[in-house]
């Protein structure tokens, strides 16, 4: 291989170096004699791959070989880089690097063989040296003689040390790498320095193989904005982050359809709770949309307020363990959640060490409760309660308890806890606080006591809704059943205090469990689970104080079990799988904590078994328990008995000494049946729920043998047994998931930013097994896949058709086709094992191929869909045309029938109406005829009588009868005719009235017209008079001008030499102006006569139309108004023009007057001249 094609392998995987570290010439000159020059070793970086490529010249390789730059022993790559004088270079700013060259012209071969300096010495040009205080310093080797070397420290000191005390250091180009697997030398000082370097640059996250190391910055860092969430969602950023771990969990859950878990561990104060909230924030951002994610996030303020407290090492220490299981739908959206908790630390409710606080909610309630709530609960300040003032710590720097209480109330509303239940919750909290203020008085010589009836007793009874006497008896007496007899025993002062504190602890613990149950109901209502979930474990961290009690004993046991889970997945199962599958593998040793777990869990001589056994003995004490431990467990290497009542356990995180004082009391859970019965008798609903819950949890009835400790039931499960059972359930749920580990590191015990204690960090790294994880990950095969799955997933990428062959053959063919190097994978009996990053090439190719296939399929399916749609649309159109034609024809036929029916009905109705009208007219005509005929008959009846007087008397009676009937008919007709006549007369009256109205209106119109004519005539006369006056004045002026012109003609000729052409022009101008004025006046007169004639004719025409003399299709009133408006407008305009004419004429008159004056002056001068 040519020198131009070689790369520096150690630089190929550098993902992100701090951008603040720039390559400057001054820095390189200060660091040593060797300088980095461009275009000699490493070429320009590629922005696409973040891989540093370069070319190495032959001379540079030879020189590098002499200096030990290419080391075949480097673990991460086949060759490494180690410069004598190093420079800090960021991967994004590194453009070119060259190696130092000698000043002599000696050939590379001569130089190589003439250099007799030991190779091992040249490899350790800079090494780590451990100072007496335990810290590591980077020293530069000056000289080496035998097994001793002289080194120079950064502070200028020169030391002579043994060679085996030096630890090799990594080149500066690897300073601040984001994955510890990239370090050439994986040793404790190099890991410490790398973490410290990144921590100083606010890069608090570092990968250690599959584990994320998170260092608590104790300050806010700008790494959690929405743009970061979007960047990690789009895979635009690959640097370590909680978001990256969470994103990996989501993608693996969807891809593999396996539940995932994110296990966050570390010491108290390392930032586990905040890390869990950050992971939940990312899950809510990616899987949100239904609104349930907001409820999940709002559970954090509630759980922190009721479950976290301030300790000496952590201002927000979790005093319980929680596993938040977030369920997802098939589309990857959050569909619900469930919270599982471990045993709550109940003792903190009644007892706090100096400088610590009880649970946050007590202080938040006292500081932030509104006045109405304070009045209901009789709340006072925090320092007024005994439970809170015993630690002399009431606040946390930088925390506003009142504002936090407002957030808690808002969160309770979000998770659908009603206002009534919220008031009951706060009442229980206040009752717990007031319980601590209850005091006791000694009533006899045997130290028996009775509760004092003070404010504390009254407030507790009121808040929980019980009888004050029942509460008083419960706190100062104990009911026991011996045989068939019930005995009431008075309690001593210590027993009464224990009973009071047990009641307070039980109320708070049950309240916490009830809250978690209500939250789970809110998060699970109406949510469909698909079996896919991501669980986030946030549990109390490993604790070691000056005095460690039962709480630290349980907490550290839980951390031992979690560490075993960590070891099992990252060490045991990993290496066992390699061995079972026949992989060539050198086993990596690690610190196994199985012996420590056996010390806790072994039966019958484990710590937990012996504790439960001693707790069941009536005469068991803390001292007898300690002695029993020393008697049975002294031979165990993880146990050491101490003096007095103490013992030491060798945990994975170090030795912890426990004081057994209070172990038995806290393990027995001394809440007696009397207290449970008191709670069940309360009127408040929550105490009743608590009592029923405690009765259900008991495996057996609350009866049993008497105990010296006060009669507590021995059949109840101990606290340690409950804790162990819950812990095993938790581990079973975690075992069914794919784990993702986040190790939180606390850089200092002072909770101070920018402070980094090497010893403390190194102890936590050792406890976490970070170095072992990196070693296994670097030398192991983190990606594995069965032959069948590999062939099924990538078999379609093969160019040759080998689908019919067995999966192993297909898998090997795929590996050969893509030129994956043999050292990058191993073939096992059932699986293929790949090193980090190798499966990514295949996955990218598969995704691109599938994308292309899907693109082709989408185009073809689109074509098919469009063609099918076109055919379907044509068929639908034809079918619609047929259906619409048939419907139209049917509608037309129905319409035609309706039309014919309507015509027929109309014809019939018109005939009926015509017949009725004809009948009416006929009847009227008959009536008129009858009337007329009757009148004629009556008029002629006399003549008829005379004509028939000579008739015979025999026919006289018949004629009379005929005449009378005929006359009756005639009378009826006459009456009808008279009625019709009256109707006609009434109609005539109405018409006459209308005619009179029209005549009155016409008279009004005539009066108006007359008045308008008079006005017009007056105006016309005024205009005529003014016009005549103007004419007369013009005529007079004209005559005067003519006379003056004739008289003065000769004088003007004589004066022509003096005046000249000017006077002639003035006369001509005057004549022209006079003629122009006359013409204007004549035009005005003509216009006046024409307009007066037009207006007169129009008015006369409208009057004729109004009177009906002339027919016209117009409204005379409207036309008359319009004519009046036109007359007014013309009148205004004519008057204006007349005034302007007068002004002009006056002006001309003034000019003529001026000419006359000039003439008179001339005649005066002429006369005077003649006289002289």
């Amino acid at each position: 291989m040519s020198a131009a094609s070689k790369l520096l392998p150690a630089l190929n995987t550098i993902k992100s170096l701090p951008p603040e570290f720039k390559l400057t010439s001054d820095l390189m000159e200060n660091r040593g004699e060797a300088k980095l020059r461009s275009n000699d070793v490493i070429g320009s970086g590629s922005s696409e791959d973040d891989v540093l490529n370069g070319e190495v010249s032959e001379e540079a390789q030879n020189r590098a070989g002499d200096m030990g730059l290419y080391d075949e022993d480097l673990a991460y790559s086949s060759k490494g880089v180690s410069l004598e004088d190093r420079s800090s270079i960021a991967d994004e700013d590194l453009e070119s690097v060259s190696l130092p060259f000698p000043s002599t012209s000696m050939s590379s071969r001569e130089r190589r063989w003439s250099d007799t300096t030991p190779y091992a010495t040249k490899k350790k040009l800079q090494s780590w040296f451990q100072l007496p205080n335990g810290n590591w310093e980077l020293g530069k080797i000056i000289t080496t003689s035998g097994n001793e070397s002289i080194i120079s420290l950064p502070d200028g000191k020169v030391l002579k040390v043994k060679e085996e005390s030096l630890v090799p250091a990594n080149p500066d180009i690897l300073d601040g790498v984001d994955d510890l697997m990239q370090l050439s030398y994986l040793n404790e000082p190099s890991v410490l320095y790398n973490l410290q370097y990144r921590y100083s640059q606010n890069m608090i996250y570092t990968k250690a193989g599959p584990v994320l190391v998170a260092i608590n910055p104790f300050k806010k860092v700008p790494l959690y904005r929405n743009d970061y969430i979007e960047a990690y969602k789009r895979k635009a950023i690959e640097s370590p982050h909680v978001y990256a771990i969470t994103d990996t969990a989501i993608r693996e859950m969807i891809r593999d359809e396996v539940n995932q878990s994110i296990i966050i561990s570390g010491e108290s104060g390392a930032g586990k709770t905040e890390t869990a909230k950050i992971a939940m924030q990312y899950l809510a951002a990616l899987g949100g949309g239904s609104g349930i994610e907001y409820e999940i996030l709002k559970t954090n303020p509630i759980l922190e307020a009721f479950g976290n407290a301030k300790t000496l090492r952590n201002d927000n220490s979790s005093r319980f363990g929680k596993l938040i299981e977030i369920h997802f739908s098939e589309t990857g959206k959050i569909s619900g959640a469930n919270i599982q908790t471990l045993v709550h630390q109940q003792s903190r409710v009644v007892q706090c060490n100096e400088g610590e606080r009880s649970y946050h909610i007590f202080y938040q309630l006292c500081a932030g409760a509104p006045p109405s709530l304070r009045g209901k609960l009789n709340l006072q300040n925090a320092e007024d309660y005994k439970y809170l003032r015993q630690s002399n710590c009431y606040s946390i720097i930088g925390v506003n308890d009142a504002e936090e209480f407002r957030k808690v109330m808002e969160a309770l509303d979000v998770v659908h806890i009603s206002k009534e239940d919220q008031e009951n919750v706060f009442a229980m909290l206040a009752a717990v606080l007031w319980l601590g203020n209850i005091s006791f008085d000694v009533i006899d010589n045997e130290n028996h006591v009775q509760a004092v009836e003070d404010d504390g007793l009254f407030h507790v009874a009121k808040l929980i809704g019980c009888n004050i006497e029942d509460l008083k008896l419960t706190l100062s007496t104990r009911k026991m059943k011996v045989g068939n007899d019930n005995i009431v025993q008075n309690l001593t002062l210590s027993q009464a205090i224990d009973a009071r504190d047990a009641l307070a602890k039980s109320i708070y613990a049950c309240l916490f469990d009830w809250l978690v149950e209500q939250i789970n109901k809110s998060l699970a209502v109406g949510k469909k689970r698909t079996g896919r979930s991501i669980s986030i474990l946030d549990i109390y961290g490993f604790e070691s104080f000056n005095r460690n009690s039962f709480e630290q004993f349980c907490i550290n046991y839980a951390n031992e079990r979690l560490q075993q889970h960590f070891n099992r997945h990252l060490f045991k199962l990993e290496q066992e799988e390699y061995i079972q599958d026949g992989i060539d593998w050198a086993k990596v040793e690690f610190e196994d904590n199985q012996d420590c777990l056996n010390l806790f869990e072994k039966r019958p001589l484990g710590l937990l078994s012996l504790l439960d056994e001693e707790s069941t003995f009536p005469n068991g004490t803390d001292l007898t328990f300690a002695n029993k431990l020393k008697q049975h467990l002294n031979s165990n290497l993880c146990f050491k008995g101490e003096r007095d009542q103490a013992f030491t356990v060798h945990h994975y995180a170090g030795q912890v000494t426990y004081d057994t004082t209070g172990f038995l009391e806290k393990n027995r859970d001394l809440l007696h049946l009397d207290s449970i019965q008191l709670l069940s008798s309360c009127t408040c609903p929550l105490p009743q729920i608590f009592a029923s819950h405690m009765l259900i949890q008991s495996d057996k009835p609350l009866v049993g043998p008497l105990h010296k400790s006060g009669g507590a039931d021995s059949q109840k499960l101990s606290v340690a047994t409950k804790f162990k059972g819950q812990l095993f359930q938790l581990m079973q749920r975690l075992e069914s998931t794919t784990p993702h580990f986040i190790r939180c590191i606390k850089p200092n015990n002072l909770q101070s930013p920018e402070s980094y204690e090497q010893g403390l960090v190194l102890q936590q790294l050792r406890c976490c097994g970070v170095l072992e994880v990196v070693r296994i990950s670097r030398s192991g095969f983190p990606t594995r896949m069965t032959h069948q799955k590999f062939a099924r997933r990538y078999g379609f990428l093969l160019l040759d058709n080998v689908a019919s062959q067995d999966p192993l053959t297909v898998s090997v063919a795929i590996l050969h086709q893509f030129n994956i190097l043999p050292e990058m994978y191993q073939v096992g009996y059932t699986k293929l094992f790949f090193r980090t990053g190798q499966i990514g090439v295949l996955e990218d190719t598969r995704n691109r191929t599938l994308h292309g296939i899907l693109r082709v399929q989408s185009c073809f399916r689109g074509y098919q869909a469009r063609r099918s749609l076109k055919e379907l649309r044509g068929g639908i159109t034809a079918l619609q045309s047929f259906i619409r034609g048939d419907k139209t024809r049917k509608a037309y036929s129905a319409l035609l029938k309706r039309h014919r029916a309507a015509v027929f009905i109309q014809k019939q109705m018109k005939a009926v109406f015509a017949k009725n009208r004809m009948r009416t007219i006929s009847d009227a005509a008959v009536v008129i005829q009858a009337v007329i005929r009757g009148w004629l008959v009556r008029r002629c009846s006399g003549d008829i009588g005379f004509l028939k007087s000579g008739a015979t008397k025999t026919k006289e009676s018949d004629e009379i009868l005929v005449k009378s009937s005929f006359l009756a008919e005639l009378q009826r007709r006459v009456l009808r005719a008279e009625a019709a006549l009256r109707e006609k007369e009434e109609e005539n009256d109405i018409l006459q009235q209308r005619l009179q109205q029209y005549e009155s209106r016409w008279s009004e119109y005539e009066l108006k017209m007359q008045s308008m004519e008079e006005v017009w005539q007056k105006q016309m006369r005024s205009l005529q008079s003014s016009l005549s006056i103007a004419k007369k004045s013009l005529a007079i002026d004209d005559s005067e001008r003519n006379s003056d012109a004739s008289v003065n003609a000769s004088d003007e000729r004589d004066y022509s030499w003096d005046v000249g052409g000017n006077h002639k022009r003035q006369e001509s101008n005057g004549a022209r102006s006079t003629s122009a004025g006359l013409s204007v006046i004549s035009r005005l007169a003509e216009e006046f006569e024409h307009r007066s004639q037009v207006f007169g004719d129009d008015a006369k025409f409208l009057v004729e139309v109004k009177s009906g003399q002339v027919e016209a299709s117009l409204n005379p009133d409207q036309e008359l108004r319009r004519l009046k408006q036109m007359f007014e407008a013309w009148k205004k305009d004519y008057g204006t023009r007349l005034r302007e004419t007068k002004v002009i004429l006056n002006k001309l008159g003034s000019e003529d007057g001026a000419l006359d004056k000039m003439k008179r002056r001339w005649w005066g001068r002429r006369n005077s001249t003649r006289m002289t």
Side-chain angles (χ1 to χ4, degrees), residues 508-636:
Y508 191 79
C510 291
L511 177 63
F512 182 80
D513 294 338
W514 180 84
L515 276 174
V516 173
E517 182 180 354
Q518 298 304 310
I519 291 173
N520 286 335
K521 289 180 180 179
S522 173
L523 299 181
V525 172
K527 309 301 185 299
K528 294 182 179 180
R529 299 183 181 179
T530 61
R532 299 176 184 176
S533 66
I534 295 179
S535 301
I536 301 176
L537 177 64
D538 175 21
I539 198 171
Y540 19 57
F542 185 85
E543 293 183 348
S544 178
F545 302 111
N546 293 331
R547 181 182 179 277
N548 300 286
S549 186
F550 180 74
E551 290 77 20
Q552 285 71 41
F553 178 80
C554 295
I555 290 172
N556 293 340
Y557 165 57
N559 280 271
E560 286 286 350
R561 174 52 65 183
L562 285 177
Q563 180 66 22
Q564 179 61 215
H565 182 73
F566 177 81
N567 294 343
R568 184 170 181 270
H569 277 273
L570 295 184
F571 299 139
K572 292 183 178 180
L573 296 180
E574 186 89 5
Q575 300 191 79
E576 288 176 3
E577 187 173 4
Y578 292 157
I579 296 173
Q580 292 175 0
D581 228 62
I583 298 300
D584 185 12
W585 174 256
K587 190 172 183 180
V588 177
E589 297 298 331
F590 63 93
E591 184 176 352
D592 192 1
N593 67 333
Q594 186 60 48
D595 293 338
C596 186
L597 274 179
N598 293 336
L599 174 65
F600 276 88
E601 300 174 352
K602 188 177 179 181
R603 290 179 178 273
L605 298 179
L607 288 174
L608 298 177
S609 300
L610 293 175
L611 176 60
D612 287 342
E613 179 183 336
E614 193 67 19
S615 298
T616 58
F617 291 150
N619 297 325
T621 62
D622 298 328
L623 181 59
T624 59
F625 171 62
N627 293 332
K628 180 176 290 188
L629 294 181
K630 297 174 186 178
Q631 176 184 354
H632 294 90
L633 301 177
N634 262 339
S635 59
N636 195 308

Side-chain angles (χ1 to χ4, degrees), residues 347-367:
S347 61
R348 182 165 291 272
V349 177
V350 300
Q351 182 181 3
C352 291
N353 296 327
E354 186 73 20
E356 297 185 346
R357 293 205 321 177
S358 184
Y359 292 102
H360 296 323
I361 188 61
F362 292 123
Y363 306 91
Q364 295 172 2
L365 179 64
C366 293

Side-chain angles (χ1 to χ4, degrees), residues 473-482 486-489 491 495-496 498-506 668-680 690-691 694-695 698 701-714 716:
L473 290 175
T474 301
L475 296 179
S476 57
T477 61
R478 181 65 44 80
K479 296 179 181 178
M480 295 178 294
K481 188 175 183 179
V482 179
N486 291 326
I487 299 176
V488 178
Q489 179 184 3
L491 301 180
Q495 291 174 343
D498 290 342
R500 179 198 66 188
D501 293 346
L503 180 60
K505 291 187 294 184
S506 298
R668 284 170 177 158
D669 191 9
L670 294 178
L671 187 67
H672 198 269
L673 178 60
D674 295 347
S675 299
I676 299 177
Q677 291 176 346
L678 175 69
L679 295 177
S680 63
F690 300 161
M694 286 184 281
L695 291 174
S698 300
L702 293 175
V703 293
L706 298 176
H707 300 307
K708 183 179 180 181
S709 58
D713 184 14
S714 63
K716 294 172 60 180

Side-chain angles (χ1 to χ4, degrees), residues 55 63 75 109 151 174 301 328 436 618 649 713 729 733 737 740 798 833 836 840 1043 1051 1070 1093 1096 1137 1149 1171:
E55 298 179 0
R63 177 60 178 165
R109 184 182 297 273
I151 63 173
L174 297 179
F328 291 82
V649 176
D713 184 14
Q729 291 179 2
R733 296 182 67 173
T737 64
H740 303 267
L798 286 175
F833 295 83
T836 303
S1043 62
D1051 295 335
Q1093 182 66 29
R1137 286 185 289 161
M1171 290 175 68

Side-chain angles (χ1 to χ4, degrees), residues 307 318-322 340-347 359 509 512-513 539-540 550-551 554-555 558 666 669 697 718-727 730:
S318 298
R319 310 318 299 165
F320 73 107
K322 67 174 179 290
Q340 178 183 349
T341 60
L342 283 179
V343 172
H344 197 266
Q345 185 185 355
Q346 303 177 14
S347 61
Y359 292 102
F512 182 80
D513 294 338
I539 198 171
Y540 19 57
F550 180 74
E551 290 77 20
C554 295
I555 290 172
K666 295 175 181 178
D669 191 9
Q697 281 188 334
S718 66
V719 175
T721 302
K722 292 179 183 177
F723 183 80
K724 181 181 177 182
Q726 293 180 356
L727 184 60
L730 175 66

Side-chain angles (χ1 to χ4, degrees), residues 767-836:
C767 296
C768 298
V770 170
L771 297 181
E772 290 80 2
V773 170
V774 175
R775 289 193 185 101
I776 288 181
S777 299
R778 291 209 317 188
S779 58
F781 304 89
T783 305
R784 65 212 60 184
M785 196 175 296
T786 62
H787 300 159
Q788 292 80 3
K789 185 176 180 180
F790 187 83
R792 184 172 60 254
R793 188 170 184 83
Y794 304 108
F796 70 94
L797 299 176
L798 286 175
L799 299 178
D800 300 329
N801 187 13
V802 293
S804 60
Q805 300 182 13
D806 61 285
L808 179 59
T809 304
V810 175
S811 301
V812 173
I814 295 171
L815 297 175
H816 290 166
Q817 177 175 314
F818 287 92
N819 296 324
I820 298 180
L821 300 178
E823 59 269 18
M824 292 293 104
Y825 70 92
Q826 285 200 29
V827 180
Y829 299 143
T830 60
K831 296 179 182 178
L832 291 173
F833 295 83
F834 296 91
R835 295 194 185 277
T836 303

